[in-house]
Amino acid sequence: MASSILEPTASVPGELKIIQDATCTFCGCVCDDIDLTVVDNHITEAKRACVLGKAWFLNHSVEDKPSCLIEGKPASLEAAYDRAAKILTDGKYPIIYGLSDSPCEAQRVAVSIADWISGTIDTTTSVCHGPSGMAFQGVGEVTCSLGEVANRGDMIMFWGSNPAESHPRHFTKYSLMPKGMFLPNGRKDRTMVLVDVRKTKSAKAADIFIQIKPRRDFEGLWTLRALAKGLELDAKVVLDETGVELAVWKDLMDRMKAAKFGVIFFGMGLTMTRGKHANSEALLALTRDMNAFTRFTAKPNRGHGNVTGADNVVSWRTGYPFGVNHARGYPRFNPGEYTTSDTLARGEADSAMTIACDPMANFSEPARRHLASIPFIALDAKETPTTRAAAVAFTVATYGINTGGTVYRMDDVPIPLRPAFPSPHPSDFEVLSQIETRVKKILGVTA
Ligand code: SF4
């Protein structure tokens, strides 16, 4: 797999270099049509990138610090690899967490390490679309690529998602504006519906905005399921439960049934409110119901650049998407038990490795306190509260800008990375591979 990673070429001083069709990994849209202008290892232009993508590329600078620190002191990479392997193999309950801003090649090695050390592997999915991951396992997923949406989608729904701010090119590149094979007039051929608890910036782009009562997504979705089945509903109860008139829901259902190709993009406004995985299950079940009338699909709007890759890699290595424990020698999936924020908050893990994430900045206080009390390794391209608290901290090259590899777009389509210029720091793939070699040596694995 290492050989499939495209390495960046070094710049000649003063020479202007153009990287065509580079991939932006700032959000789950993973736009792979960005033309980068590079001068003296600095990106001066990112053509076609949105405001977030431009900030990602143009503000990028290589950290001027040692590639590794042990207990806060500069150390050789060899010493850091050895210490990291020892921490992981000494632990009785080691956990590996993060991975949504790493390429698939590195994710794959991280899963292998978790397997060798009988540890837990978990990704940031457990704190964003974890409920959707559970729902996919329970209900299944009627899905499609973003290319199909661009070419066929005439009924575009967003539920609890605000792409105008979180995924700025979603509308223009994939879901609303493109003139598709079966939608020659682009935006004019599509109906856009936004369901949310507040009027976000995305509401401006909507033909229909439905403001639902906070924490009543489940009720709204089951209202639509009932209407899909043709059941009679009490208008007062529907209004009380959802905050929306029954007539509005009926009109929406009529439009959904009349569409040729519908898609519901859903976000954390659905998955992280009351109901959580039950909300995601309701939305996936509604999508399935709609296929009795027309073609309808559902897609989560994913945030991090390769969080979808993390779900895919962990799934194809273990059978489950996140929160997987190997303590018994085979994978077990139990969100709440093996998800990192919970494991740490209960004080259960005794060693850890975090990769491209910052739990010391965003986990609960008990979880942060416990993480600070155990030996752990952190890999990140930037200095963060987590790297500062780590026993071994690696500064790694930034994926997509300094290293190649593969990422998965939010629709599960793999996209290659085209790096712009090299970094003096190792990639997370390199660091993890070195740690894996040492872990195997300590454990006496010869294969
Ligand atoms: S939409 Fe997302 S992936 Fe595309 S350029 Fe903007 S930040 Fe990058």
Side-chain angles (χ1 to χ4, degrees):
M1 197 164 229
S3 59
S4 68
I5 299 179
L6 185 67
E7 297 299 339
T9 53
S11 303
V12 176
E15 193 184 72
L16 183 144
K17 192 165 70 167
I18 306 285
I19 310 291
Q20 284 185 323
D21 294 332
T23 302
C24 175
T25 52
F26 188 77
C27 85
C29 281
V30 186
C31 299
D32 57 349
D33 59 351
I34 313 293
D35 290 348
L36 300 177
T37 305
V38 184
V39 186
D40 291 336
N41 288 349
H42 187 73
I43 299 170
T44 56
E45 197 188 339
K47 210 165 152 190
R48 288 187 281 278
C50 70
V51 60
L52 298 179
K54 277 196 177 15
W56 165 250
F57 284 117
L58 303 186
N59 295 340
H60 173 73
S61 60
V62 173
E63 291 272 292
D64 183 18
K65 60 194 290 270
S67 292
C68 54
L69 301 172
I70 299 179
E71 312 293 355
K73 296 198 175 58
S76 71
L77 279 167
E78 293 299 313
Y81 296 145
D82 287 342
R83 180 72 190 280
K86 176 127 183 37
I87 287 173
L88 291 172
T89 49
D90 278 353
K92 288 199 169 51
Y93 194 157
I95 55 174
I96 298 177
Y97 174 72
L99 293 168
S100 47
D101 279 316
S102 296
C104 295
E105 290 79 357
Q107 293 166 344
R108 179 174 175 270
V109 182
V111 182
S112 294
I113 296 173
D115 197 357
W116 294 125
I117 60 177
S118 304
T120 294
I121 182 94
D122 186 33
T123 75
T124 59
T125 285
S126 63
V127 291
C128 61
H129 270 278
S132 311
M134 292 164 69
F136 292 143
Q137 299 262 327
V139 180
E141 183 186 14
V142 189
T143 185
C144 66
S145 72
L146 291 174
E148 283 178 275
V149 175
N151 281 300
R152 297 172 185 275
D154 61 345
M155 180 72 176
I156 311 291
M157 295 174 61
F158 292 90
W159 197 301
S161 177
N162 178 17
E165 288 184 281
S166 59
H167 301 75
R169 294 185 80 204
H170 200 293
F171 293 158
T172 51
K173 193 161 158 40
Y174 304 114
S175 55
L176 275 192
M177 309 311 287
K179 291 185 176 165
M181 204 180 291
F182 302 99
L183 303 156
N185 303 310
R187 178 68 183 90
K188 289 195 191 111
D189 287 338
R190 305 176 201 264
T191 303
M192 196 283 232
V193 180
L194 177 71
V195 183
D196 212 329
V197 296
R198 65 191 173 90
K199 203 167 190 171
T200 62
K201 281 199 175 152
S202 297
K204 279 195 199 131
D207 298 302
I208 302 168
F209 170 57
I210 298 178
Q211 188 159 359
I212 193 171
K213 252 191 195 173
R215 300 154 55 86
R216 295 304 174 98
D217 303 86
F218 182 84
E219 287 78 358
L221 288 160
W222 272 82
T223 300
L224 286 171
R225 290 198 73 193
L227 293 173
K229 299 267 185 226
L231 301 180
E232 282 301 320
L233 296 175
D234 183 316
K236 184 175 176 318
V237 173
V238 169
L239 180 61
D240 284 351
E241 292 293 327
T242 67
V244 179
E245 299 278 356
L246 177 59
V248 174
W249 291 120
K250 276 185 169 166
D251 174 63
L252 176 59
M253 179 45 62
D254 290 345
R255 290 169 189 265
M256 289 169 74
K257 283 182 177 173
K260 287 197 175 74
F261 188 108
V263 56
I264 315 177
F265 291 102
F266 56 105
M268 284 168 62
L270 179 82
T271 64
M272 280 296 162
T273 56
R274 170 183 159 267
K276 291 196 170 183
H277 69 279
N279 293 345
S280 298
E281 280 175 6
L283 188 138
L284 296 175
L286 169 65
T287 308
R288 194 181 54 199
D289 295 346
M290 293 311 298
N291 280 273
F293 309 98
T294 184
R295 173 80 173 137
F296 234 94
T297 60
K299 287 298 328 160
N301 262 351
R302 304 307 302 273
H304 292 280
N306 199 26
V307 68
T308 307
D311 290 357
N312 275 276
V313 172
V314 178
S315 293
W316 56 253
R317 293 302 306 278
T318 71
Y320 305 107
F322 64 95
V324 183
N325 178 269
H326 293 87
R328 288 193 187 161
Y330 55 87
R332 286 181 298 158
F333 174 58
N334 198 5
E337 185 176 6
Y338 304 134
T339 35
T340 304
S341 56
D342 305 289
T343 312
L344 287 175
R346 285 193 302 268
E348 290 174 353
D350 61 356
S351 67
M353 177 159 66
T354 67
I355 303 152
C357 62
D358 193 8
M360 289 303 275
N362 50 41
F363 273 9
S364 66
E365 214 270 322
R368 281 185 278 131
R369 203 176 337 117
H370 186 67
L371 181 60
S373 74
I374 61 174
F376 76 94
I377 305 125
L379 280 67
D380 210 308
K382 300 272 175 229
E383 186 178 321
T384 66
T386 302
T387 62
R388 282 197 286 275
V392 183
F394 290 97
T395 306
V396 292
T398 301
Y399 82 135
I401 295 181
N402 305 126
T403 71
T406 312
V407 298
Y408 278 58
R409 205 167 60 188
M410 64 164 79
D411 56 347
D412 302 291
V413 171
I415 309 272
L417 300 176
R418 292 192 173 83
F421 58 90
S423 163
H425 302 301
S427 65
D428 41 12
F429 172 76
E430 249 174 280
V431 172
L432 292 168
S433 299
Q434 291 288 346
I435 294 173
E436 186 194 11
T437 303
R438 283 157 177 79
V439 162
K440 285 167 74 176
K441 200 165 160 207
I442 293 171
L443 297 175
V445 179
T446 49

